Amino acid sequence: MPKAELTPAKKTALDWIDTNRDRLSQDHQTIWSFHEPSWREYRSAAWYVERLRAEGFEVEVGSGGMPTAFCATWSNGDGPTIGGYAEYDAVPGQSQEAVPYRKPREGVNRFAAGHTDPHSALGIGSFTGFLAAKRAMEQHGLKGRLKFFGEPAEKMCGSKPVHAAKGYYDDLDAAFSFHPHSFPALANSCFWDTHCAAYWSRIYTFECAAPETWNTSAANVGVAHVHNVARAPGAIDAVCLMYTSSKYMKEAMLPHTGSWSLNEYIPIAGQATADNLAPNISQIQYSLRAPTLEMCEQVFAVLDRNAEHCAAMSHCTVTKAWVTRTRQGLANHAMAQITYDNFELIGPPQWNDDARAFARELQKNLGAKPMEDPFAPETQVLTTPQEGEAWFRSQLPSWQHNISADDYVDYTWHAPTVRLYVARPALRAAEGGVRYPEWSRYAMCGYPACIDPMWETAGRVIAATIVDLLTEPEHLRKARAEFEERTGGGIGGSKWVAPLLPKDFAPPVHYRWPEYIDTVRGAGEWTIPTQDPSQQASLEPK
């Protein structure tokens, strides 16, 4: 039997979800259709702000100096403050229509963004839970305060470290972090001890500001042209040297144990200028996932040294700027247990005949035999947090206590926080070596019958758990006591890790991140690339 009970207040919250299910499904489709990438989620953020204000929340727009972030609050009197959030950034290059075959979205560049995790449903799931809890609070007189954040750029682990550094989480009594499942053995569950790892990202900007000083001994005499003298290597050479040297050094950065990854992105590689002038600017971004902060420090010490040497060799200067720095996740068993207890009460997501028919059509189009039940069995059952933890420990070295990366970890150092996983639709493994491409998962994430059970289940679990936290003070007392013990006294305690960004940190919104823009060539142009080569003629003025 479930340990949590279906109280009248919980029933009110769940009934509200039943009543509003169709509208919420349409809401999800709205955010999914925006498919805006990190730091450029203008329409998605504006939609949430408008809806939250219509629901009676007070909303600070652009919280933490981030144009596409927000902080919304609603109070029903003195009581605990419960936090949660929506994410809504999509991933460049992952465009896919909600159809059972490969088809990038119509009306946009084929390299446009798409929801992969999907954050569209992540946000609507949390949004559903908080609105349902609000309804229960109103009808049953439950005292407390809801604090709901808009968190942009999760794919860069961008906003939560900023909100944390600027004090937005300091007044929370508890927080919810919901995510579509990432680990098959933990599809419907909560993290126990093993939480997400640290994620650090930095941009190196190389500039060749004084190319004329590269070879001061060169003589310009007779009929020789000034461009015939030796040209400074410049910023393109700098970024190429940085890219290759850091690849060569990668295996020497950290011990060959534990899971970690280092990836790079080049936002700028020179400028479209005369070929005989030294390119004057380039940038490269490095992003690291690592289990410990010490490993992060070590990797970026190597990268910093490389950058200085590459700048010197190419006659450039280099500046370094953080994009983000997260901490490691901090467990809270009390929050995980009460949330999972309500998950048992609600049950795992269930898919109807419409969803199964869509999934079978996917299997057929991918060369697999359509199955009576095309969805992975793990997605249709619950896994206790303790069982999930045992699975993690069987996969990881004994010293590694954090894995993967997500910036929710910054919530965990300011309030007792649960990491809730609910299964998104995933195809059952096929025989004959058929491997399902990623786009097939993205297609299901946009098809209502496939994706709605996930966000609806998450909303139900979150709403029920918020009601428990507000009606049974012992749950919050236990969670807070555990938080105090793990941090050595709470915020500022002896074991507490402070935010890794300064309070005056300027969010990295000014870089050349991919986005949709309006130009004289038309509306909604995708900056990477501007157009397909076959369409280039259409860019010429008429």
Side-chain angles (χ1 to χ4, degrees), residues 333-358:
H333 291 174
M335 280 292 292
Q337 191 62 59
I338 184 57
T339 304
Y340 183 75
D341 289 347
N342 277 293
F343 209 159
E344 286 189 320
L345 177 68
I346 302 301
Q350 301 293 321
W351 286 278
N352 62 20
D353 290 341
D354 185 3
R356 295 177 189 279
F358 186 91

Side-chain angles (χ1 to χ4, degrees), residues 20 23 79 105 203 264 272 282 293 329 336 354 402 437 465 482 506 529:
N20 290 274
R23 183 183 68 153
R105 295 168 187 250
I203 279 186
E264 59 283 304
S282 66
L293 299 185
D354 185 3
N402 300 87
T465 308
E482 182 178 347

Side-chain angles (χ1 to χ4, degrees), residues 7-330:
T7 63
K10 287 184 189 178
K11 187 175 186 306
T12 296
L14 301 184
D15 287 347
W16 183 91
I17 296 175
D18 289 338
T19 301
N20 290 274
R21 182 188 294 113
D22 290 345
R23 183 183 68 153
L24 291 162
S25 178
Q26 294 171 4
D27 291 340
H28 171 258
Q29 286 298 300
T30 296
I31 301 299
W32 186 83
S33 297
F34 285 154
H35 60 104
E36 299 169 298
S38 292
W39 298 122
R40 303 295 186 255
E41 317 95 325
Y42 296 106
R43 293 178 294 172
S44 302
W47 182 91
Y48 272 107
V49 169
E50 180 180 357
R51 279 294 305 277
L52 285 161
R53 283 176 172 164
E55 296 286 346
F57 283 74
E58 295 182 4
V59 185
E60 176 191 352
V61 179
S63 52
M66 298 174 285
T68 54
F70 61 81
C71 175
T73 55
W74 178 84
S75 176
N76 203 37
D78 291 340
T81 295
I82 309 299
Y85 60 84
E87 294 169 3
Y88 29 81
D89 60 322
V91 181
Q94 306 303 321
S95 177
Q96 171 64 32
E97 291 276 11
V99 293
Y101 50 88
R102 181 67 173 121
K103 182 185 179 185
R105 295 168 187 250
E106 292 186 359
V108 296
N109 190 279
R110 71 179 188 275
F111 297 106
H115 284 286
T116 57
D117 276 332
H119 289 173
S120 54
L122 180 161
I124 291 298
S126 294
F127 181 71
T128 296
F130 272 70
L131 292 190
K134 174 178 177 287
R135 178 60 177 154
M137 293 170 70
E138 291 171 326
Q139 186 162 320
H140 296 271
L142 307 183
K143 302 301 182 183
R145 180 168 171 257
L146 301 179
K147 195 169 185 180
F148 193 74
F149 292 89
E151 302 282 16
E154 188 282 330
K155 285 300 181 183
M156 296 189 194
C157 289
S159 67
K160 301 181 191 75
V162 177
H163 275 142
K166 297 179 185 293
Y168 280 86
Y169 305 153
D170 290 351
D171 61 348
L172 298 180
D173 291 291
F176 288 86
S177 171
F178 154 59
H179 197 280
H181 89 274
S182 301
F183 306 95
L186 206 69
N188 294 296
S189 191
C190 304
F191 274 167
W192 194 244
D193 284 318
T194 304
H195 276 251
C196 281
Y199 183 97
W200 289 17
S201 180
R202 198 171 210 173
I203 279 186
Y204 297 87
T205 300
F206 297 96
E207 296 183 72
C208 186
E212 70 279 1
T213 62
W214 169 249
N215 192 345
T216 55
S217 63
N220 182 17
V221 296
V223 296
H225 192 279
V226 65
H227 293 312
N228 288 347
V229 300
R231 193 197 80 173
I236 290 181
D237 286 34
V239 81
C240 289
L241 287 167
M242 183 68 180
Y243 178 86
T244 54
S245 63
S246 296
K247 286 288 190 185
Y248 291 139
M249 294 290 292
K250 193 170 182 179
E251 68 175 18
M253 290 181 181
L254 289 173
H256 294 235
T257 183
S259 59
W260 61 279
S261 64
L262 179 67
N263 293 292
E264 59 283 304
Y265 163 61
I266 299 175
I268 300 174
Q271 293 171 305
T273 186
D275 63 347
N276 51 10
L277 295 176
N280 59 11
I281 187 170
S282 66
Q283 290 176 331
I284 187 167
Q285 175 191 10
Y286 282 94
S287 300
L288 170 72
R289 301 172 184 232
T292 70
L293 299 185
E294 292 77 14
M295 294 171 76
C296 294
E297 294 279 6
Q298 184 169 328
V299 167
F300 278 94
V302 175
L303 292 174
D304 286 355
R305 288 198 303 268
N306 288 359
E308 294 291 345
H309 289 299
C310 293
M313 287 189 287
S314 56
H315 201 58
C316 292
T317 59
V318 62
T319 55
K320 299 165 286 186
W322 289 112
V323 173
T324 190
R325 296 172 80 196
T326 78
R327 293 164 278 185
Q328 303 149 260
L330 185 68

Side-chain angles (χ1 to χ4, degrees), residues 300-445:
F300 278 94
V302 175
L303 292 174
D304 286 355
R305 288 198 303 268
N306 288 359
E308 294 291 345
H309 289 299
C310 293
M313 287 189 287
S314 56
H315 201 58
C316 292
T317 59
V318 62
T319 55
K320 299 165 286 186
W322 289 112
V323 173
T324 190
R325 296 172 80 196
T326 78
R327 293 164 278 185
Q328 303 149 260
L330 185 68
N332 193 281
H333 291 174
M335 280 292 292
Q337 191 62 59
I338 184 57
T339 304
Y340 183 75
D341 289 347
N342 277 293
F343 209 159
E344 286 189 320
L345 177 68
I346 302 301
Q350 301 293 321
W351 286 278
N352 62 20
D353 290 341
D354 185 3
R356 295 177 189 279
F358 186 91
R360 292 189 195 104
E361 190 68 18
L362 267 172
Q363 289 179 320
K364 183 182 75 172
N365 293 336
L366 294 170
K369 182 180 179 181
M371 305 173 187
E372 181 179 354
D373 181 4
F375 292 110
E378 298 90 346
T379 65
Q380 302 177 66
V381 297
L382 299 180
T383 302
T384 69
Q386 295 84 355
E387 289 171 333
E389 180 63 25
W391 179 82
F392 271 130
R393 296 324 319 162
S394 70
Q395 305 291 314
L396 299 174
S398 60
W399 62 267
Q400 184 175 340
H401 303 293
N402 300 87
I403 188 173
S404 185
D406 187 298
D407 60 352
Y408 84 89
V409 295
D410 273 60
Y411 275 89
T412 69
W413 291 95
H414 296 262
T417 302
V418 61
R419 178 65 161 181
L420 167 67
Y421 280 101
V422 180
R424 56 186 157 191
L427 296 176
R428 187 182 292 261
E431 297 179 357
V434 176
R435 181 174 178 179
Y436 302 125
E438 290 294 289
W439 65 258
S440 64
R441 182 160 55 89
Y442 308 157
M444 289 189 289
C445 291

